[in-house]
Structures are given as C-alpha cells and as structure tokens.
Amino acid sequence: MKTGQKANEVKTRFASSDDAAAWNDYVDSSSGHTYGHRWQWRDILRESFGVVPYYFLAETDGRIVGVLPTVFMKSMLFGKFLVSLPWLDYGGPLTDNPRISSLLVDKASSLAREKNCRFFEMRAIRDRLEGLVEKTDKFSFFLDLTKGEEAVWKSFNAKARNQVRKAVKLGLTAEVGGAELINNFYRIFSYNMRDLGTPVWPKSLFTEIFRRFGRDANIALVKLDNNPIAAGLIIHYRNYSGVPSASAYRKYINLCPNNLLYWAIIKYCIERGSRTFDFGRSSLGSGTYHFKKQWVKDPEKQIWQYHLYSIDNLPELNPNNPKFKTAIAVWRRLPLMLTNFLGPRIVTKIP
C-alpha cells in the first residue's frame, strides 16, 4: 500500500481494453446487471456509430467494485452529449453500493462538463441518485418464462392469443436463425423506419452485434409464401433474452405477423433455457406500449436520470416532438435507398 493511502479506499479511473475481461466478470457477478453493461458494447457502438466510448470503473485494493459505461456523441444540429447508453434500453452505474455509484457519476459528469455537453443521460438506472433531473415515461415489459410454454401462453390476454392463431391460420410461418438473416431483417427494418419517418440505424450495428456476441444473438423471421414480412433481433445474456428491435411491413399488419413473431421468439427462448424475456422499452400510451400490454400485464417503470448543463429542460430528441413533424412527413416520402444512406449519418449523432 502506498504511504498515505487508506485501506478500502475507492478509486475511479477510465477503463482500457486491458480491463475487458475483469469488467465482464464483475458485470456477470453483480446483481442488477443488464446486457447493456457488457464490455462488448464499447466496441459495437464505437465501430457502428463512430462515437467515442468512455468506460469508467471503480476499484478497491485493485478489485473492481463498480462500472459505468458511457459514450460521447456530437451533432452539428443538436450539440454534444454523454449517454449511458445510446440505442440500448439500459445503462447507468452498476456498483456495490450507492456511494460508489455517486463517485462514478461525478467522474463522468466532470468529463461531460469538460467536453461542453448539453446533458449527461443515464437510462433505466436501478438506484436513484439524488439531485438529478428524471424522466419516468418509459416502461420495460418483462415476461417470466420459468413456468413453461403452456403457462406462459395462458398468461397472455385473449386478443394476443387469437392474433397468433389468426396468423398461423392465414399461412404465416416463423423461423429463428443467425447472422445469415441480417439482410432479411435489415430490409424490413429499414423500410419500416422510413415509413415511420425515422432515420434508420446503420446496418453495421447489427453485423457488429453478431460479430461480438456470436451465439448470444439471433434473428427471427415471419414469412408469407416464403417471403419475409416481419423480423426481430434477439439478444441473450445468461438466462435473459430480449428483443431490442423488431419490424413488419405495414401492408401485412392485418395478418398479425408481429404476434406470431413474438410468440415464436418466446418459444425459442424457453427452449434455450431463458428465465426472463424482455419485450423492450416503450413510452407510456404509445402504440407499442399497448401492444406489449397484451403480453405483460404489469410493465415496470424505467427511471432515466440527467445532469443538465447548458439546457434547462429535459431533451426531447425523438419523433414525438412536434418540432420534428414536418421533417418526419418529408422523410416518409423519400426513396428507401436515400433514407438508408442518410439515416445512419443522422441517427448515430443523437441519443
């Protein structure tokens, strides 16, 4: 021990690539961990978004006692941000106790100030930190898979079950595969995002996910006459499975492809041995919120916390902001090839 250094003193620092294995070991062994805390996202987001990752860790006597993943994002239109983490549903500190969380958040906040960020955002944190601004309009939908397929099926409301039956009766089929289905997935996903008026994430995001996670990722397809009409990305982490992205061609919605898609995914995850299935986050009152309520009766409120620096109100950089109404209407009319080119150059610069 160095002269003057106290036993059990908590020290914080930037993590480097040499810390990757120890970081993941800590995440694996910590209660409250999420797939978003895994080290691999540092490389996935850097390579696909072009962002600068800043991963913080806390140590006591050389032992990791807390981690905080963040990335620095910069946009000519919207400014600079520090986010934990973009695209993902989860982030924030994962630590042994609230005091360590505060130390890591303070260190990250100092970096955000140095870089003249407008705000520092932490998504779906587990332990509230005092003195921060909060957003509480988003919900997680967790489904308990431990009772088996029959019990899970009976837990859905009648409408959800009937729509699955309808899809099957109309000849829709489902399959689950791997990286070989990325092109099918992205074709549907990008088309749907254009129709929603939202810039699409880069295809490299999904190829990087498969490159870094391998068998911990899958793609599910729903087909009509052997033509894919709906698709979903599945990410696994230990006994957890979730779908962060899913889409269907809007012209086939009356065939209920999304219902069959999710049921096929849920059955696959039960067979895999997953204990929890995550439908992903949705904002209160949105269309996806009501869709997921058919499957999960009691969603869990997420808490997003913010340090605000050069702004006074919470950021609303999403399609629900009335300021973007005209831009969304224009985007929907653009050719798919153009939106696939421009979309990733826009969306990877905003949280």
Side-chain angles (χ1 to χ4, degrees):
M1 181 186 301
K2 294 182 179 178
T3 302
Q5 182 177 333
K6 298 179 181 179
N8 300 320
E9 179 183 3
V10 177
K11 308 192 82 170
T12 59
R13 64 175 175 85
F14 292 112
S16 71
S17 297
D18 293 337
D19 299 305
W23 177 292
N24 274 343
D25 286 344
Y26 177 78
V27 171
D28 289 347
S29 64
S30 298
S31 62
H33 59 213
T34 73
Y35 73 90
H37 287 95
R38 299 179 74 183
W39 179 268
Q40 288 92 326
W41 290 107
R42 176 180 181 269
D43 301 319
I44 291 169
L45 294 171
R46 182 187 61 203
E47 294 300 322
S48 61
F49 281 30
V51 295
V52 181
Y54 290 97
Y55 273 39
F56 302 89
L57 59 79
E59 294 174 308
T60 295
D61 298 332
R63 176 177 60 87
I64 294 179
V65 293
V67 298
L68 172 59
T70 73
V71 302
F72 174 65
M73 307 182 76
K74 181 169 61 176
S75 166
M76 292 181 63
L77 291 176
F78 302 109
K80 302 174 182 177
F81 329 98
L82 193 67
V83 184
S84 180
L85 283 165
W87 189 74
L88 294 163
D89 291 347
Y90 307 102
L94 177 67
T95 66
D96 284 7
N97 59 60
R99 183 176 72 87
I100 297 171
S101 294
S102 294
L103 290 172
L104 285 171
V105 171
D106 287 347
K107 188 172 183 67
S109 184
S110 295
L111 174 70
R113 289 183 182 277
E114 289 174 13
K115 292 190 168 293
N116 297 314
C117 292
R118 297 179 68 202
F119 60 81
F120 169 29
E121 175 183 271
M122 294 178 288
R123 301 184 172 188
I125 65 165
R126 284 138 300 283
D127 297 311
R128 274 190 170 101
L129 298 171
E130 294 183 4
L132 300 187
V133 179
E134 293 186 353
K135 184 183 290 186
T136 58
D137 66 335
K138 299 184 187 301
F139 289 78
S140 294
F141 293 77
F142 297 115
L143 180 65
D144 181 5
L145 304 181
T146 58
K147 295 180 180 180
E149 183 177 318
E150 183 178 355
V152 170
W153 171 257
K154 290 180 179 178
S155 72
F156 307 145
N157 73 20
K159 181 180 178 181
R161 296 196 303 268
N162 287 336
Q163 288 180 330
V164 172
R165 295 187 186 105
K166 176 182 176 180
V168 174
K169 186 176 181 179
L170 292 173
L172 273 60
T173 59
E175 65 182 69
V176 177
E180 74 280 0
L181 301 179
I182 288 177
N183 288 339
N184 288 306
F185 165 83
Y186 196 74
R187 189 176 301 114
I188 298 168
F189 182 69
S190 61
Y191 194 98
N192 188 55
M193 293 292 280
R194 191 279 309 272
D195 284 354
L196 291 172
T198 304
V200 67
W201 302 107
K203 187 176 181 180
S204 59
L205 169 63
F206 305 104
T207 57
E208 284 294 322
I209 285 172
F210 275 92
R211 189 160 79 91
R212 305 290 177 175
F213 288 137
R215 292 184 178 180
D216 280 344
N218 287 106
I219 286 174
L221 295 180
V222 168
K223 294 181 176 181
L224 174 64
D225 297 330
N226 208 36
N227 295 311
I229 63 171
L233 171 71
I234 317 166
I235 295 179
H236 311 287
Y237 175 46
R238 301 169 74 97
N239 58 13
Y240 161 100
S241 297
V243 175
S245 292
S247 289
Y249 288 128
R250 297 167 72 86
K251 65 181 179 180
Y252 295 113
I253 290 299
N254 64 320
L255 304 182
C256 304
N258 283 324
N259 296 77
L260 180 58
L261 177 72
Y262 276 98
W263 178 233
I265 292 172
I266 289 166
K267 289 196 296 180
Y268 178 86
C269 294
I270 291 172
E271 292 171 4
R272 174 189 177 270
S274 297
R275 299 176 63 85
T276 300
F277 178 74
D278 184 358
F279 282 83
R281 75 171 187 264
S282 289
S283 296
L284 180 65
S286 67
T288 56
Y289 177 90
H290 292 298
F291 173 81
K292 294 170 186 177
K293 278 275 286 182
Q294 299 176 77
W295 309 78
V296 179
K297 297 175 183 176
D298 299 309
E300 296 182 15
K301 182 180 292 187
Q302 291 189 356
I303 301 171
W304 292 28
Q305 287 198 308
Y306 295 81
H307 273 291
L308 304 183
Y309 306 115
S310 61
I311 57 176
D312 297 322
N313 299 311
L314 287 173
E316 293 293 342
L317 302 178
N318 60 69
N320 296 324
N321 190 329
K323 294 181 180 179
F324 302 138
K325 183 177 180 180
T326 300
I328 290 171
V330 171
W331 195 266
R332 287 171 170 166
R333 294 182 174 89
L334 295 177
L336 185 62
M337 184 178 296
L338 182 58
T339 58
N340 282 355
F341 175 78
L342 295 176
R345 289 160 172 79
I346 298 171
V347 76
T348 55
K349 304 298 186 292
I350 56 178

